[in-house]
Amino acid sequence: MSNVRAAHLTRRGILAAGGALGLGAALAACGDDDAKSGSSDKETTAAKSGPWTFKDDRGTTVKLDKVPANIVAFVGVAAALYDYGVSVKGVFGPTKTKAGKADVQAGDMDISKLTVLGNEWGQFNIEKYAALAPDVLITTMFDGAGTLWYVPEESKDKIAKLAPSVGISAYDRQLTVPLQRVWALAESLGADMTASRATDAKKRFEEASARLRAAAKAHPDIKVLAGSAAQSIFYVSGSNLSVDLEYFKALGVNFVEPSASVLKASGGWYESLSWENVDKYQADIIMMDDRTATIQPADITQATWKKLPAVKAGQVISRSPEPIFSYDKCVAMVENLAKAIETAKKVS
């Protein structure tokens, strides 16, 4: 939804639209409540043999006679698994841009080799899905009810009959938790988690996190705002519920955000502002939703936006409200914020 479907007022619909900063913007050396924790095509070299079992974040245990071979996944989950050497047959969710290029959520995958079941919110081709003879469907969850992300509500029962599902929660927890869960999932699917591509990425993520913690401690006065742009609305995110913002806050980042009472209207995710009121909150750094369904900073024409101190100072960076949950892909988002805080001028 390139212009944020105003008619879809459910939190789930707005999140998909890109308005949920709380995921995104629209929803240890790492976080304080940290859970303990190839080849050119990056394909799994050898899958495990024998029965496969995985307990997901709904508490549902999926049991199969063998490790899934025909995997269908939300594009962001597929991209994370790809980084660990696990390939999928089909994807759903934002995969291709209007120009036919890989969406930001597709990561490093060659999308020309994938069967895309649906590229937008509400799209899911059940006939194509069935033709893939899926062993398992894997996606994320952005609420406490276990709702499978990008699986259409009206066809979820038909989809469920074709294969068991695995849900990885990205709701009200720090980034490190889904990172660890996808790591465990990839390992169960046969990925070699001792390979340097996995271990080196994890080390780089931990180093980036230590850098961000140090930057936040050295510059406690630098205020950061997470935003997302739609045609007629600017969304300001709260720092709770979103995995990235909760993690950054735990590392000491000073977020300027709506009050709990204001956030209540959106279930705790964000406040909707008209462009005339976009200056309600003053910040030194603005993190903007990088999803293709949202308007990117270079394309924002509103004069009120251009007058914001952070914008005038060139202190606007990207944010991935729906991160690809591999350590490799999360390094950059942590490093970018650390660098922004290290070099920011106090303008608020």
Side-chain angles (χ1 to χ4, degrees), residues 29 44 57 61 65 71 101 107 116 135 166 208 225 243 245 279 309:
T44 304
D57 292 338
T61 299
D65 293 337
I71 301 171
K101 297 181 179 181
V116 181
D135 294 321
V166 167
L225 180 146
V243 290
L245 301 186
D279 60 352

Side-chain angles (χ1 to χ4, degrees), residues 117-131:
L117 305 178
N119 198 61
E120 298 179 6
W121 183 257
Q123 294 180 350
F124 194 108
N125 191 312
I126 299 177
E127 289 73 23
K128 281 188 178 181
Y129 180 54

Side-chain angles (χ1 to χ4, degrees), residues 12 92 120-125 148-157 159:
R12 192 167 181 249
F92 54 96
E120 298 179 6
W121 183 257
Q123 294 180 350
F124 194 108
N125 191 312
L148 297 178
W149 192 233
Y150 265 81
V151 174
E153 187 71 21
E154 61 274 15
S155 55
K156 66 177 183 179
D157 292 338
I159 293 169

Side-chain angles (χ1 to χ4, degrees), residues 1 3-10 13-14:
M1 109 189 204
N3 293 321
V4 181
R5 300 177 203 154
H8 290 260
L9 297 180
T10 64
I14 296 178

